[in-house]
Each structure stands twice: as structure tokens, then as C-alpha cells.
Amino acid sequence: MLLRKALLVAQKQLRSAGVRSEEASSIIQVVTGLSKEEILSDGARVLVDRDVNMIKYFVSERLRRVPLPYLTGKSNFYRDTFLVGTNVLCPRKETEVLVGSTIHAVESLQTQKNSLLTVVDAGTGSGCIACSVKKYSAWPIHMLGVDMSFHALEVAKHNARNLDVDVSFLQSSWLSAFSADSLDIIVSNPPYLSSFDWKNCEPELSYEPYTALVGGTTGTEMLKQIIESSIFCLRTGGVLLLEHGKDQIEQVKNLLEKNGFIDYDCVFDYGGHGRVATARKGERSISKSR
Ligand SMILES: C[S@@+](CC[C@H](N)C(=O)[O-])C[C@H]1O[C@@H](n2cnc3c(N)ncnc32)[C@H](O)[C@@H]1O
């Protein structure tokens, strides 16, 4: 089959099923190893049968709404490619904003402090945040990733090895493994969908781990838990960075302020939605014991 025809057929099938037709090119890139430009300019190329069959298989799985990263086993995030599997959430574009804000927080905190900063990624999943922050921070940091899922941690370890970054991973329910006043920065992209929203989301989400997506009946339950234990684990002046839903800005701000965080700020994602809350543990914040 000609490359041009394979592309057109895949685009048409995807479009008719309500899937972005641009994915046809991504599928062909993964299967053939050709670049996007080559696919557009070399339409007369004859594809071998094995590639044609693989393209057909990927398209049929996308018609069942299996997420593309689960088919290819990888996902581009920030500046690298990460291994993903059905045990972990597929890294999202909007989470790259959280990485950028954390790298910025490392920089501004490090200028005030001489010792090595300890940074924890709570709910690390594929390790995409922890590995990117470690790799692209201008300063050496002690980076840890925690998750309650053993299988997610296996994927995260694999990604850290692949990218040759030194990140320690730990199985823990949120921050329960850490003592009072022991951390400088906590970053988290927790599950923040409500169970109701999850039922009404796009079909792709049903393939991803429920515990990585749903934060409870209201969606803010895990955000609340993390905020409450962060004020305990952070050192004075330490920074908490949380990704949240675009409709959860006020709730997260209130939870942070109620728990004694100061200097709240909201960072917007590429789509212009308030997506990341940042705040500091002030001098007078009360660290409640657990
Ligand atoms: C939204 S995913 C984020 C994954 C990854 N950090 C990312 O941004 O792509 C949330 C992660 O939190 C983990 N998680 C859920 N409940 C947890 C808990 N009680 N303690 C630790 N991790 C938890 C899930 O296993 C999942 O990996």
C-alpha cells in the first residue's frame, strides 16, 4: 500500500470515530520510523505488509479508544520520551507547566539556601515529573518520587534509568513516609477528578488507572490530604506545587490558606486555564502533628 493511501484511510477512519485525525500521522511515525515531514512529502513510498498490518491494528485499537501511548508504550513529555504502560497515567501536556514551575521554585529557593534541597514528587506515576525536574534543574537536588502503586514505581524506575537521572523511589501513601520539617519542595499531580466527572469523561480515561484519576466524590479529597500533610513535612519557607482541575482554583486556594500556606499563586496552562497552585510554608504556619 502507498504511504499516501495508508495516511488517508487512517485519517478518515479516526475522524469518523471522533478521534483527532492528526493521530494518523503519529501512528505511521511510530510504526515506520519515518518523520512527520517524510510522511507528508513521500506519499508515493510503498509500505511493507508488516507495517500496513501494524498501522491497521493501531487504528482499530484507537477506534476502541485505547490511548495512543498505551499502544506505542511511550509518551513524549517535557523534553524526553517516557515509557508508559496501563499501570500509570499517560503524562499530560498541562503537567509540563507543573514541571516548569517546580524548576523555577528550585532555582529561587536554592539562591536563599546553601544546602542540597530535598524535593518530593507525590504520586509519581511514570516518574515524568520527578525525572524532568531532576534532569533540568540548574542545581543538584535530592529528588524522590513516591507512589502507593508498586507497579507504577517499577515504570518510574525504568524511566529514571533510561534517562540516566538519579531519583530515589519509595512506596508510600502520599507523604506518610516523611517526618516533620524535612522537605524543601513538594510537587504533586494528584488524582483530582470527581467520580461523577470520571463517568462522563472521554472513553480513553476508562483504560487508565482509576486511582490515578479520581480523587473522590468531590475530586478535591486527595488535594486536601496532600495539603494537610505538606504543612507538616515542609521546612519553613518550603514550597508546595499542586496541579488541579480548571474549576478547582478557589477550593485549592482556600484549602492552602486554611492550612497556613502563604504567598499563594496560580499558574496557567497552555490552554489558559488556572492549573497549578503554588504556596509557601510561612514562619508562623502551624505544623499539625499527624
Ligand atoms: C494523576 S496521577 C499522576 C502521575 C504522574 N505524576 C503524572 O503527572 O503523570 C496520580 C498518581 O498518584 C498515585 N496515588 C493515588 N493515590 C495515592 C496515595 N494515596 N499515595 C500515593 N500515591 C497515590 C497514583 O497511583 C498515580 O500514579
Side-chain angles (χ1 to χ4, degrees):
M1 186 188 277
L2 293 184
L3 173 58
R4 185 184 304 117
K5 182 160 182 212
L7 181 65
L8 283 174
V9 171
Q11 283 173 334
K12 192 172 166 208
Q13 287 180 322
L14 291 171
R15 199 178 307 115
S16 65
V19 178
R20 288 180 336 112
S21 60
E22 291 82 359
E23 283 195 19
S25 170
S26 309
I27 289 173
I28 296 175
Q29 280 176 62
V30 171
V31 172
T32 61
L34 295 170
S35 69
K36 198 173 175 178
E37 293 69 32
E38 284 169 327
I39 292 169
L40 288 177
S41 62
D42 197 8
R45 178 190 284 258
V46 179
L47 297 177
V48 296
D49 286 350
R50 193 185 61 89
D51 284 357
V52 173
N53 290 337
M54 192 59 102
I55 292 165
K56 282 184 185 163
Y57 169 72
F58 276 17
V59 170
S60 69
E61 287 296 276
R62 282 301 289 132
L63 298 184
R64 292 200 311 120
R65 307 301 287 263
V66 178
L68 189 56
Y70 288 161
L71 296 173
T72 61
K74 53 191 181 182
S75 176
N76 294 331
F77 177 80
Y78 203 65
R79 299 183 202 162
D80 290 290
T81 301
F82 287 83
L83 169 91
V84 293
T86 50
N87 294 314
V88 296
L89 187 91
C90 304
R92 304 292 206 264
K93 203 83 197 126
E94 51 266 35
T95 304
E96 294 181 351
V97 172
L98 182 60
V99 171
S101 303
T102 309
I103 291 171
H104 183 70
V106 168
E107 221 165 286
S108 52
L109 210 55
Q110 191 68 77
T111 51
Q112 301 160 31
K113 227 185 130 173
N114 278 329
S115 51
L116 193 72
L117 298 179
T118 302
V119 183
V120 168
D121 171 23
T124 198
S126 63
C128 60
I129 299 173
C131 293
S132 303
V133 170
K134 175 71 187 183
K135 188 168 173 185
Y136 296 105
S137 285
W139 304 85
I141 52 172
H142 180 208
M143 184 83 227
L144 293 117
V146 303
D147 207 289
M148 67 170 185
S149 160
F150 171 82
H151 297 294
L153 289 169
E154 290 300 300
V155 177
K157 284 177 195 167
H158 181 104
N159 279 318
R161 269 197 306 275
N162 253 3
L163 297 173
D164 197 22
V165 289
D166 182 14
V167 179
S168 309
F169 292 101
L170 194 71
Q171 192 170 19
S172 162
S173 179
W174 298 128
L175 301 163
S176 59
F178 301 101
S179 49
D181 306 315
S182 60
L183 308 176
D184 295 294
I185 296 177
I186 297 168
V187 53
S188 183
N189 171 22
Y192 54 72
L193 282 182
S194 73
S195 37
F196 176 80
D197 285 345
W198 178 79
K199 281 194 194 123
N200 296 294
C201 268
E202 60 267 35
E204 278 81 354
L205 267 64
S206 66
Y207 291 92
E208 298 191 270
Y210 184 84
T211 48
L213 289 166
V214 178
T217 321
T218 67
T220 52
E221 288 87 339
M222 299 300 148
L223 286 157
K224 183 168 180 281
Q225 274 188 38
I226 295 168
I227 290 171
E228 286 172 358
S229 41
S230 293
I231 203 78
F232 173 77
C233 298
L234 282 172
R235 296 195 174 100
T236 300
V239 183
L240 172 62
L241 302 103
L242 287 173
E243 181 171 324
H244 57 69
K246 59 181 171 26
D247 304 321
Q248 294 169 331
I249 302 175
E250 278 307 309
Q251 291 161 79
V252 174
K253 181 175 186 276
N254 291 340
L255 281 168
L256 286 164
E257 289 175 352
K258 194 175 138 209
N259 281 277
F261 279 94
I262 60 168
D263 297 345
Y264 166 84
D265 198 13
C266 176
V267 186
F268 290 78
D269 65 19
Y270 307 126
H273 302 297
R275 184 64 65 184
V276 170
T278 70
R280 251 176 3 99
K281 177 174 171 174
E283 298 266 348
R284 284 200 273 227
S285 300
I286 305 149
S287 294
K288 285 183 237 158
S289 60
R290 280 193 289 236

